């Protein structure tokens, strides 16, 4: 469970980095129009990160001796 938690946290960070890459690759542009995309990426990243943290907590509880 703890490995899954670390993988999910890394994926959440990767989603945020992908967002930054998309913004830079697109040449910046209009931030008001990009805000809709940002909100969706941040929501997805937060959900994956929360699952990762939950997996770490459950893994810690299970492996605790």
């Amino acid at each position: 469970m703890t490995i899954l938690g670390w993988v999910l946290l890394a994926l959440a960070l990767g989603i945020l980095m992908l967002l930054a890459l998309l913004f830079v690759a697109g040449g910046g542009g209009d931030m008001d129009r990009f805000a809709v995309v940002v909100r969706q990426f941040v929501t997805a990243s937060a959900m994956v990160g929360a699952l990762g943290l939950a997996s770490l907590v459950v893994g810690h509880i299970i492996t605790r001796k």
Side-chain angles (χ1 to χ4, degrees):
M1 287 295 251
T2 56
I3 293 173
L4 176 64
W6 288 114
V7 169
L8 286 174
L9 286 176
L11 181 62
L13 184 60
I15 291 171
L16 289 178
M17 292 179 71
L18 178 64
L19 175 64
L21 178 69
L22 286 173
F23 185 72
V24 171
D30 187 12
M31 193 59 193
D32 292 330
R33 290 184 180 173
F34 197 64
V36 175
V37 177
V38 169
R39 193 174 316 119
Q40 293 171 351
F41 269 80
V42 169
T43 301
S45 178
M47 294 294 281
V48 171
L51 287 173
L53 285 175
S55 179
L56 281 174
V57 168
V58 169
H60 179 71
I61 290 171
I62 290 173
T63 59
R64 195 168 135 197
K65 294 182 181 180

